[in-house]
Amino acid sequence: MLGGKDQEYMKIALKEAHLAAAEGEIPVGAVLVVDDAIIAMDHNRRERNKDATAHAEILVIQEACRRLQRWRLDDALLYVTLEPCPMCAGAIFNARIKRLVYGASDSKAGACGSLFNIVQNKYLNHRAEVTAGVMEAECGQVLKEFLNGKR
């Protein structure tokens, strides 16, 4: 599912990121797909939920587990606008996500290739396929605009 489908789902994740920005949240959006159907989509909600774990990735994994009635998401593809942090990478590993697609890299907290690579660690019993840099400029821009507005 490369190319057009990746961009199609990343555009939806970007819409979620823009919703986050409008709510005063760090603008990260995520979409979880199984069999070419969107199972869950959301954005960061740490401020709204007063919850340090309310990252977009965690929220869509939780929703997908509820909707699918299972914890093992080994047929799922996760699209996220920013490279997941260590917490989210751990959740991706624990949910056995098949494939992760992200837009912008995170040089400060990225755990899927930038600082660490939890989701492809050879010592763990599951490794996700990773595609980085899908719509990277657009994903980075929404973060840049939000952070510049905050300073």
Side-chain angles (χ1 to χ4, degrees):
M1 185 185 301
L2 297 169
K5 286 288 185 182
D6 284 350
Q7 288 197 347
E8 176 184 328
Y9 291 123
M10 190 60 75
K11 285 178 184 176
I12 296 167
L14 263 169
K15 286 180 184 175
E16 287 291 330
H18 285 287
L19 289 172
E23 295 172 7
E25 300 278 357
I26 299 293
V28 177
V31 176
L32 191 135
V33 176
V34 174
D35 294 330
D36 206 24
I38 295 173
I39 304 302
M41 58 186 177
D42 213 331
H43 53 273
N44 277 1
R45 294 181 184 272
R46 290 189 312 177
E47 300 299 330
R48 178 180 179 188
N49 294 2
K50 307 294 186 247
D51 180 355
T53 67
H55 289 201
E57 301 94 310
I58 300 292
L59 296 172
V60 297
I61 289 170
Q62 290 173 336
E63 179 63 19
C65 289
R66 276 191 295 276
R67 289 190 65 198
L68 298 171
Q69 291 292 294
R70 57 187 165 98
W71 67 268
R72 190 180 299 270
L73 302 175
D74 55 356
D75 54 349
L77 288 71
L78 177 61
Y79 293 84
V80 62
T81 57
L82 180 65
E83 179 182 1
C85 71
M87 175 183 68
C88 294
I92 291 164
F93 158 74
N94 279 302
R96 308 299 196 262
I97 300 286
K98 178 180 180 177
R99 181 168 176 246
L100 166 67
V101 180
Y102 68 86
S105 295
D106 186 350
S107 63
K108 302 219 187 287
C112 299
S114 291
L115 296 179
F116 314 101
N117 198 343
I118 293 169
V119 297
Q120 293 184 320
N121 187 300
K122 67 181 180 179
Y123 298 108
L124 297 175
N125 65 347
H126 173 77
R127 283 170 287 289
E129 179 186 336
V130 176
T131 303
V134 173
M135 297 182 67
E136 183 174 17
E138 296 92 330
C139 292
Q141 188 63 32
V142 68
L143 281 159
K144 191 179 297 182
E145 288 172 5
F146 179 82
L147 295 172
N148 286 340
K150 288 288 185 184
R151 292 185 182 137

